[in-house]
């Protein structure tokens, strides 16, 4: 197994670098990657201390630095130490400079400015937490998205992920013995999406959940016939109401959220093309709500 020391150096929080590194490393198997995280590097003195550590553990240096002086110092020292360095955003930034015919601002942490989109995300997170698991049904008309599904179908984590992208989300469990409130069928503004999964996968997830709580692993909650009936009941409800359905059996939370965002954007594009009233414009690009399902 190959070992690599991966140095992630940023003049801001380093969140962008972590996502890029995670996405890139997912493409390789049988690797042993040791990550060295160096955020908020904004002075040459700080950089020099880090370069000493890099010389002890040589490897790949992935960086996002906007200061010309610090960047030049980093590249020169990496060359002298025989380290390969890669600027993670150069290609994209260069292309945008050409298209916009202007120079990039060069301000570290600019993507984290506390602007309108930032406060909209905070509001979305607070709203979503307050409307988890069927709570606050009287406010559902204020939602952007409502997720419906049986217990343990990833409703809550998907809701929180979407809230971090700027969407106000509510979720409701579909229970055979306790039908949803009538207001679920009366809302007009939100996109309602049904989340489903295979009974076999659902039983596995539920059994693991019971074991983690030190509860009896054999109950109606994981009974095969009962679970199959739950899933069928939910699917019929989704079909009867014409709600789009996403099978989360083999999807990560990120993939499920991307599929939901794609449905949301498609719905608003259709409404806009037909002149139908839209209560809220499609989410600003800073919310990251332009992804599509994979």
């Amino acid at each position: 197994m190959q070992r690599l020391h991966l140095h992630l150096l940023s003049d801001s929080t380093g969140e962008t670098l972590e996502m890029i590194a995670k996405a890139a490393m997912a493409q390789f198997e049988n690797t042993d990657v040791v990550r060295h995280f160096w955020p908020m590097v904004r002075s040459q003195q700080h950089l020099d201390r880090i370069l000493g550590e890099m010389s002890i553990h040589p490897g790949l240096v992935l960086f996002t630095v906007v200061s010309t002086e610090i960047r030049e110092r980093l590249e020169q020292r990496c060359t002298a130490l025989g380290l390969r360095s890669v600027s993670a955003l150069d290609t994209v930034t260069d292309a945008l400079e050409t298209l916009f015919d202007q120079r990039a601002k060069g301000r570290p942490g600019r993507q984290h400015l506390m602007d309108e989109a930032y406060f909209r995300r905070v509001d979305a997170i607070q709203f979503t937490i307050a409307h988890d698991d069927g709570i606050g049904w009287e406010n559902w008309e204020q939602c952007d998205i409502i997720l419906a599904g049986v217990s343990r179908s990833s409703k809550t984590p998907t809701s929180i992920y979407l809230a971090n992208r700027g969407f106000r989300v509510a979720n409701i469990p579909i229970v055979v013995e306790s039908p949803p409130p009538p207001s679920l069928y009366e809302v007009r503004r939100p996109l309602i999406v049904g989340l489903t999964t295979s009974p076999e996968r659902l039983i596995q997830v539920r059994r693991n959940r019971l074991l983690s709580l030190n509860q009896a692993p054999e109950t109606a909650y994981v009974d095969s016939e009962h679970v199959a009936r739950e899933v069928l009941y939910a699917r019929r409800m989704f079909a009867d109401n014409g709600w789009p359905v996403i099978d989360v059996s083999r999807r990560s939370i990120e993939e499920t959220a991307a599929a939901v965002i794609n449905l949301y954007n498609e719905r608003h594009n259709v409404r806009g093309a037909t002149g139908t009233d839209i209560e809220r414009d499609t989410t600003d690009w800073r919310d990251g709500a332009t992804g599509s399902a994979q």
Side-chain angles (χ1 to χ4, degrees):
M1 182 177 292
Q2 294 178 297
R3 166 166 286 196
L4 170 69
H5 287 278
L6 179 62
H7 296 273
L8 306 177
L9 188 149
S10 172
D11 53 14
S12 185
T13 63
E15 179 183 352
T16 301
L17 269 179
E18 285 196 297
M19 290 190 293
I20 292 173
K22 181 179 179 181
M25 292 307 304
Q27 306 302 315
F28 299 91
E29 298 178 345
N30 300 320
T31 58
D32 179 15
V33 179
V34 180
R35 300 190 186 190
H36 305 267
F37 188 47
W38 312 105
M40 308 302 292
V41 182
R42 298 185 178 180
S43 70
Q44 294 211 15
Q45 293 81 2
H46 190 181
L47 176 62
D48 287 341
R49 292 196 299 271
I50 292 170
L51 286 166
E53 293 291 328
M54 290 181 179
S55 65
I56 298 174
H57 301 289
L60 174 64
V61 179
L62 187 63
F63 67 90
T64 52
V65 176
V66 297
S67 167
T68 302
E69 294 78 10
I70 295 178
R71 176 182 175 132
E72 289 179 350
R73 173 74 170 168
L74 172 63
E75 292 177 327
Q76 289 170 1
R77 289 297 305 277
C78 283
T79 299
L81 293 170
L83 304 178
R84 182 172 182 180
S85 61
V86 178
S87 177
L89 298 178
D90 269 10
T91 302
V92 176
T93 303
D94 290 346
L96 290 172
E97 285 183 337
T98 300
L99 290 171
F100 292 141
D101 193 24
Q102 61 174 285
R103 296 286 294 174
K105 291 292 186 182
R107 299 179 192 170
R110 186 172 174 83
Q111 71 271 33
H112 300 295
L113 290 176
M114 294 176 66
D115 53 15
E116 181 182 352
Y118 171 84
F119 290 106
R120 187 160 64 245
R121 282 193 294 272
V122 172
D123 172 74
I125 293 170
Q126 293 175 337
F127 181 93
T128 300
I129 291 174
H131 294 81
D132 182 43
D133 204 32
I135 298 174
W137 57 266
E138 63 275 8
N139 300 320
W140 280 349
E141 194 63 44
Q142 301 174 28
C143 298
D144 298 308
I145 298 165
I146 297 176
L147 300 180
V150 298
S151 174
R152 313 312 298 178
S153 56
S154 304
K155 298 184 300 300
T156 294
T158 304
S159 296
I160 297 300
Y161 187 93
L162 288 167
N164 275 279
R165 304 288 291 271
F167 294 93
R168 303 176 107 205
V169 186
N171 73 77
I172 179 172
I174 303 302
V175 182
V176 177
E177 297 80 8
S178 179
S183 59
L184 180 63
Y185 309 105
E186 299 169 358
V187 294
R188 294 182 59 255
R189 182 175 181 271
L191 167 70
I192 302 177
V193 179
L195 302 184
T196 190
T197 184
S198 68
E200 296 77 18
R201 174 61 176 163
L202 191 57
I203 291 172
Q204 180 184 12
V205 172
R206 288 182 175 183
R207 183 167 285 123
N208 290 338
R209 175 63 173 169
L210 291 175
L211 290 172
S212 70
L213 297 174
N214 293 320
Q215 296 182 5
E218 299 301 332
T219 67
Y221 190 58
V222 293
D223 178 74
S224 58
E225 292 186 5
H226 186 274
V227 172
R229 187 164 63 253
E230 279 187 82
V231 173
L232 180 59
Y233 174 77
R235 284 181 177 272
R236 284 176 176 169
M237 180 184 296
F238 303 155
D240 290 345
N241 291 278
W243 299 334
V245 179
I246 297 174
D247 191 327
V248 303
S249 300
R250 289 182 171 80
R251 291 181 189 262
S252 66
I253 300 302
E254 295 85 350
E255 290 171 328
T256 300
V260 173
I261 291 171
N262 191 44
L263 290 168
Y264 179 90
N265 288 337
E266 287 180 353
R267 182 185 192 227
H268 278 260
N269 289 339
V270 169
R271 285 188 173 188
T274 58
T276 306
D277 179 52
I278 301 177
E279 291 88 348
R280 178 193 178 200
D281 292 335
T282 302
T283 303
D284 188 282
W285 67 269
R286 288 169 295 184
D287 287 332
T290 57
S292 59
Q294 297 297 317

